[in-house]
Amino acid sequence: MDDRELVARVARGDGEAFRELYARYADRVFHYALTVLRNRHLAEEVAQETMVAVWRGAGRYEGRSQVSTWIFGIARHQAFHLLRGEGKSAREPEEREEPDPTAGAELEVRVRRALDELPPDQREVVFLAFYAGLSYAEIAQVQAVPEGTVKSRMFHAKRKLAEVLRP
Amino acid sequence: MTCDRARELIPLYAGRSLSDLDRGDLIAHVVGCEACQGELVETVRLAHELRAAFAQLPSLPKGTWISVVARTLGTTLLRVELGSEVAGLNLAVGTTKTGVPIRGSLSILGREVPVLRI
């Protein structure tokens, strides 16, 4: 069953459809929030609030965007709403998720460090493009900015990250 | 296709979100452009490393689902289904942390239409 049909079923109160949608998206939303906020507890809260909002708002989803774009858009709104409420800034995370040196090769650790050093907007674009597989137009919808801004963020992010790969 | 346009599309190719049409155009350009070939190889490698890094992120704790269920699905107290395969009425009353949601829908020829959500 595709995502749109799942959302339509969720709108009708179908618990099984919601369980499936949760299985497909909750981890991705959590990873997205973790990438943006770099705070595990806040990211968990964002994931929970987002999935509850999906349940409550499924009836208002009009199908004009991809389901993934809609859900990441909700997650972004939740993340910034939470930051505003807590008086925090995405640029000043309360705590930092440090790379686990045993988790992978040296290159992987360097890539994660380079990611951490990117400005939040660029890190978000990198996540949405390379991990979530969104197009520029979809990322622009999530970030509520013109497509050109997304391309510019990608250009600068990629230039910084590519340096990590060079010997 | 110009090199500038190719450089815009290469990250989407690496992120696997490029349309079939754009992918075909990009490959046609890259085959004949050594500079963009290098850019493509570097970006695909970068995307691979980034996906590996993102894949190391922890999973959402299992308890989150339980919290979400308590705030959404809750427990169904009563479910009533009337009618036939042609047309029918479904009514469900549940309980969640925040209240007692009531949902109703009409089914006509196998298609459900929500009519009530309190």
Side-chain angles (χ1 to χ4, degrees), chain B residues 96-107:
Chain B
T96 69
K97 258 184 181 176
T98 52
V100 182
I102 302 170
R103 289 191 298 273
S105 63
L106 284 173
S107 61

Side-chain angles (χ1 to χ4, degrees), chain B residues 1-15:
Chain B
M1 179 179 286
T2 63
C3 288
D4 282 347
R5 177 68 180 149
R7 301 297 168 102
E8 273 183 16
L9 295 182
I10 283 171
L12 301 186
Y13 174 86

Side-chain angles (χ1 to χ4, degrees), chain A residues 106-161:
Chain A
E106 186 209 348
L107 178 60
E108 197 176 299
V109 173
R110 275 170 35 215
V111 167
R112 286 201 60 182
R113 285 214 179 105
L115 257 178
D116 278 349
E117 285 166 12
L118 289 179
D121 288 339
Q122 290 180 20
R123 200 164 57 236
E124 190 182 347
V125 166
V126 166
F127 177 92
L128 292 172
F130 289 125
Y131 192 62
L134 267 59
S135 67
Y136 290 130
E138 290 165 340
I139 297 170
Q141 271 188 294
V142 172
Q143 293 194 319
V145 295
E147 206 174 314
T149 305
V150 175
K151 289 176 184 173
S152 167
R153 286 173 179 169
M154 171 59 86
F155 174 80
H156 291 291
K158 206 167 72 63
R159 197 172 57 177
K160 290 171 198 163
L161 291 169

Side-chain angles (χ1 to χ4, degrees), chain A residues 4 28 32 64-70 72-73 76 124 128-129 132-145 147 150, chain B residues 12 16-18:
Chain A
R4 285 171 195 265
R28 291 167 72 190
Y32 169 64
R64 283 188 294 205
S65 60
Q66 294 288 331
V67 170
S68 56
T69 309
W70 177 60
F72 282 122
R76 188 173 208 271
E124 190 182 347
L128 292 172
L134 267 59
S135 67
Y136 290 130
E138 290 165 340
I139 297 170
Q141 271 188 294
V142 172
Q143 293 194 319
V145 295
E147 206 174 314
V150 175
Chain B
L12 301 186
R16 303 165 185 166
S17 64
L18 204 56

Side-chain angles (χ1 to χ4, degrees), chain A residues 10-16 18-19 22 26-27 30-32 34-35 40 43-44 47-49 51-52 55-59 97 103-104 107-108 111-112 115 123 126-127 129-136 138-139 151 154 157-158 161-162 165-166, chain B residues 5 7-12 14-18 39 41-69 71-73 79 96-98 103-106 110-114 117:
Chain A
V10 170
R12 298 195 293 264
D14 184 332
E16 279 309 307
F18 183 57
R19 183 187 293 272
Y22 183 94
D27 254 355
F30 177 54
H31 290 168
Y32 169 64
L34 206 49
T35 300
R40 190 170 175 156
E44 282 177 24
Q48 185 181 146
E49 292 302 326
M51 296 317 294
V52 170
W55 168 261
R56 291 180 181 158
E97 291 284 328
L107 178 60
E108 197 176 299
V111 167
R112 286 201 60 182
L115 257 178
R123 200 164 57 236
V126 166
F127 177 92
F130 289 125
Y131 192 62
L134 267 59
S135 67
Y136 290 130
E138 290 165 340
I139 297 170
K151 289 176 184 173
M154 171 59 86
K158 206 167 72 63
L161 291 169
L165 296 180
R166 293 186 188 125
Chain B
R5 177 68 180 149
R7 301 297 168 102
E8 273 183 16
L9 295 182
I10 283 171
L12 301 186
R16 303 165 185 166
S17 64
L18 204 56
E39 178 77 11
V41 169
E42 183 180 80
T43 308
V44 167
R45 187 168 166 229
L46 177 63
H48 174 78
E49 294 300 333
L50 286 167
R51 276 193 290 272
F54 286 125
Q56 291 290 332
L57 292 173
S59 293
L60 191 58
K62 300 277 183 241
T64 307
W65 169 244
I66 295 166
S67 304
V68 169
V69 166
R71 294 175 62 193
T72 54
L73 304 174
R79 181 180 291 277
T96 69
K97 258 184 181 176
T98 52
R103 289 191 298 273
S105 63
L106 284 173
R111 291 189 66 89
E112 265 192 82
V113 182
R117 194 157 187 179

